[in-house]
Amino acid sequence: MQTQVVDEALEGIEQRLRAGFPAVRMEFARQTFPNHVELWVYVLDLQHFDEVRAWCEELTRVEQLDQRAPEIWLMARAWKAPRPAAELEQELRQRRDEFRRRHNLLPR
Amino acid sequence: MAEPFETLVFVARLTRGEKDAIFGQAAAFPGSDLALRLVAAIDDVCLDRLLRAEGCLELARTFASQAAVGANGEELFRTAVGRAYYSAHHSIRGIALWHSHWDPDGHEASIKQLQLLLTDSGFVAKSGLAPDAWKRVVDARTNRHVADYSPYDWQRDPPAVTPVGITGQDWKTAADFNLALAEDLFKAAVRFVGS
């Protein structure tokens, strides 16, 4: 299958998911491998995770996504909100400062 | 002032072409906010890479020393081989990002970039690495593949050719080899980032 055709298929699945669950916050990620592509569906509203996962499993079964060439693996995943950026940045800054001290590094 | 996390992710994901275009713009305005922010973000990502390199290296040393005295030595040596290789991998990416402002994403790309950098005598002198150090990385990568994927001490694939074996054909030698490489690359990386 051509890359464009695969992209269109994945795009179509994303659109159907958004249309089927308009109130559910979701994000999508793709990974391409030699013989299959993976569409990861991150469900941010955890109370809707089970129904989204069931929808993905049903779509895979009905449309035989895993029988295509390349196969499409539809992966529903629960996803919590990321940590607050400020907290993460503060932690990273502390680690870097400590590393600089340990190795006597000066800023460029 | 540190750059926000989003900027670091942006810098770390730049392709070589994008990097050239953006740094071309920044170079036209030396001392500008864009140029300063890009360099600051790159420095932060380099340090984050070296932190990972150091963490992997420490773990590799621990596993190798435990393997030498305890039971289950082969599994511990295999783990040391893997951690040491990833330490080397992160050091290479840190060096490349610092030196070339571009993060070679992936194993093949990082080895190719090191190979390229080692053709520059100035780089060789400053890094303290031998001009053919990249070949040691290829050996270390093979050791890592065998350590993680093969039930034996050679690679199964491809089946039609002579199998590729680990360094020295024993796990202690392979772990020592990967550790020595990781130590050299980490030292080189710290030398660069500290210069």
Side-chain angles (χ1 to χ4, degrees):
Chain A
M1 197 185 285
Q2 298 296 314
T3 307
Q4 190 185 343
V5 178
V6 175
D7 285 345
E8 285 172 7
L10 298 180
E11 196 69 41
I13 294 170
E14 290 181 18
Q15 285 174 5
R16 287 163 68 182
L17 265 163
R18 289 200 192 282
F21 301 91
V24 179
R25 290 179 302 148
M26 288 180 282
E27 289 179 8
F28 300 94
R30 300 175 186 184
Q31 298 195 84
T32 304
F33 297 90
N35 297 310
H36 80 279
V37 291
E38 295 175 6
L39 177 59
W40 286 57
V41 183
Y42 292 114
V43 183
L44 278 72
D45 297 324
L46 299 186
Q47 68 273 28
H48 296 288
F49 171 67
D50 287 340
E51 52 188 312
V52 173
R53 181 172 59 181
W55 189 96
C56 290
E57 288 172 356
E58 179 68 2
L59 186 77
T60 297
R61 191 184 64 75
V62 170
E63 302 206 357
Q64 297 186 310
L65 297 180
D66 52 0
Q67 304 296 316
R68 300 184 185 189
E71 297 174 22
I72 295 175
W73 298 2
L74 194 49
M75 319 285 285
R77 291 287 178 266
W79 195 247
K80 291 184 289 187
R83 290 167 60 192
E87 184 187 308
L88 177 61
E89 283 159 19
Q90 174 67 17
E91 186 183 312
L92 289 170
R93 263 200 300 278
Q94 284 171 351
R95 279 193 219 163
R96 289 179 202 127
D97 290 345
E98 212 254 316
F99 186 86
R100 280 200 183 94
R101 271 197 299 277
R102 215 167 43 240
H103 294 284
N104 298 316
L105 303 182
L106 298 170
R108 172 145 48 182
Chain B
M1 180 61 187
E3 283 298 321
F5 190 60
E6 289 74 12
T7 315
L8 304 187
V9 172
F10 171 77
V11 166
R13 285 180 176 169
L14 287 178
T15 65
R16 193 197 295 257
E18 290 167 343
K19 180 273 289 184
D20 287 344
I22 290 172
F23 275 87
Q25 293 284 322
F29 306 98
S32 69
D33 185 49
L34 172 64
L36 293 173
R37 285 187 61 188
L38 281 172
V39 172
I42 280 174
D43 291 1
D44 283 350
V45 178
C46 282
L47 287 177
D48 293 343
R49 280 263 171 229
L50 295 200
L51 276 158
R52 289 246 36 218
E54 186 178 49
C56 290
L57 183 55
E58 283 172 1
L59 212 50
R61 287 187 196 122
T62 302
F63 282 122
S65 61
Q66 286 176 356
V69 295
N72 213 7
E74 180 180 321
E75 282 306 322
L76 291 164
F77 276 133
R78 282 180 187 255
T79 308
V81 162
R83 285 300 90 196
Y85 171 73
Y86 276 102
S87 171
H89 177 74
H90 287 301
S91 289
I92 293 168
R93 291 176 69 162
I95 291 170
L97 188 56
W98 185 270
H99 187 272
S100 315
H101 293 169
W102 174 67
D103 182 7
D105 187 6
H107 298 281
E108 186 182 16
S110 63
I111 293 172
K112 287 287 290 180
Q113 186 66 9
L114 180 63
Q115 186 182 7
L116 181 69
L117 291 172
L118 287 168
T119 59
D120 174 354
S121 57
F123 176 90
V124 169
K126 189 172 173 182
S127 69
L129 296 168
D132 63 351
W134 65 272
K135 291 181 181 171
R136 293 169 66 200
V137 183
V138 173
D139 283 359
R141 182 213 57 202
T142 304
N143 288 339
R144 204 284 291 178
H145 280 170
V146 179
D148 283 346
Y149 300 127
S150 175
Y152 314 113
D153 56 7
W154 67 86
Q155 262 185 340
R156 185 182 53 188
D157 299 320
V161 299
T162 305
V164 176
I166 56 171
T167 305
Q169 291 178 285
D170 76 86
W171 286 110
K172 182 180 185 317
T173 306
D176 287 346
F177 178 89
N178 278 29
L179 262 168
L181 173 71
E183 302 271 8
D184 288 349
L185 283 164
F186 183 68
K187 278 184 205 149
V190 168
R191 215 171 285 143
F192 265 94
V193 174
S195 60

